[in-house]
Amino acid sequence: MAATIYILAGSLSEAQGKLNEVLSKSIDALDPDWFSDAWFGMPGFPEISFATAMEVWGAGPQDTCKAISAFEVERLMRSFPDASKANVLARSSAPVQSERASVYWSDLKVKTNGILKFSSETEAKKFIALLPEERPHVHWEMANDWFELEGFDDAEYPMILSPNIEVVAVSEFSPLRLHWSHGHR
């Protein structure tokens, strides 16, 4: 999946240091502290937050499609406590308040387990093959449709996602750069 991260920092090098703290870590998509729809420059803008929308790109080259038990589905859908923002970034509860802080952003490659509801692996593989073309948008405001077992109740879309999202890498198309500064509106 692709996700966008916003980082409040005084410089690009400071923002890069903060970004490095989340690379190769897991985040819990059900933890609201990771996601913000705050306006840039508003007091209390989070030091690090993800945009409230992500995009599914499809299965990775090493990923496999296999049938799993209901027990395994329930295990995959449980949030990992270590993936909460407070556990990944211990200082995350205190927003940075600085007149000189700017917002930097980057697109990231993130990974999680997609759980499909099909009667056969063949049908599931056909669906997976279409994902790169369709690139479904995952909106955090609809987290219960995407990151909860109840998401299967929506007959239109036969996929839910594990809330445990691993931040894999910075997108080669969108390295960390300035998005907004106090002098720019």
Side-chain angles (χ1 to χ4, degrees):
M1 296 187 345
T4 301
I5 193 168
Y6 297 104
I7 301 171
L8 189 65
S11 67
L12 181 60
S13 62
E14 181 185 346
Q16 185 64 55
K18 291 178 179 185
L19 175 58
N20 290 342
E21 291 184 55
V22 296
L23 290 176
S24 301
K25 302 272 178 71
S26 289
I27 67 164
D28 178 1
L30 294 175
D31 179 356
D33 290 338
W34 279 117
F35 298 89
S36 176
D37 58 359
W39 294 82
F40 302 124
M42 75 185 304
F45 188 87
E47 179 182 11
I48 294 177
S49 67
F50 285 83
T52 57
M54 292 179 270
E55 189 176 78
V56 176
W57 286 359
Q62 306 301 320
D63 295 332
T64 59
C65 178
K66 62 181 180 180
I68 58 175
S69 69
F71 173 78
E72 182 67 7
V73 170
E74 288 178 18
R75 188 190 69 74
L76 289 170
M77 295 308 293
R78 267 187 243 126
S79 293
F80 297 153
D82 289 346
S84 73
K85 191 173 185 182
N87 287 337
V88 175
L89 304 172
R91 68 185 186 290
S92 68
S93 60
V96 174
Q97 299 296 334
S98 171
E99 290 300 315
R100 296 184 320 205
S102 298
V103 177
Y104 295 83
W105 75 282
S106 180
D107 283 337
L108 302 176
K109 294 178 182 179
V110 299
K111 183 177 179 177
T112 193
N113 288 299
I115 299 146
L116 309 174
K117 189 175 184 179
F118 284 99
S119 58
S120 73
E121 278 186 47
T122 303
E123 289 179 22
K125 287 178 181 178
K126 285 180 186 175
F127 177 82
I128 291 169
L130 295 174
L131 288 175
E133 293 173 23
E134 294 179 0
R135 292 199 174 181
H137 291 265
V138 176
H139 294 277
W140 190 81
E141 294 87 351
M142 299 174 67
N144 56 338
D145 289 344
W146 284 105
F147 302 108
E148 299 275 355
L149 283 169
E150 290 76 23
F152 277 143
D153 294 342
D154 181 1
E156 279 185 47
Y157 212 72
M159 181 171 76
I160 56 176
L161 302 168
S162 171
N164 305 297
I165 297 174
E166 179 186 354
V167 180
V168 178
V170 174
S171 168
E172 62 270 16
F173 307 113
S174 181
L176 188 64
R177 61 185 179 261
L178 180 65
H179 183 70
W180 181 91
S181 66
H182 281 279
H184 175 257
R185 291 192 187 245

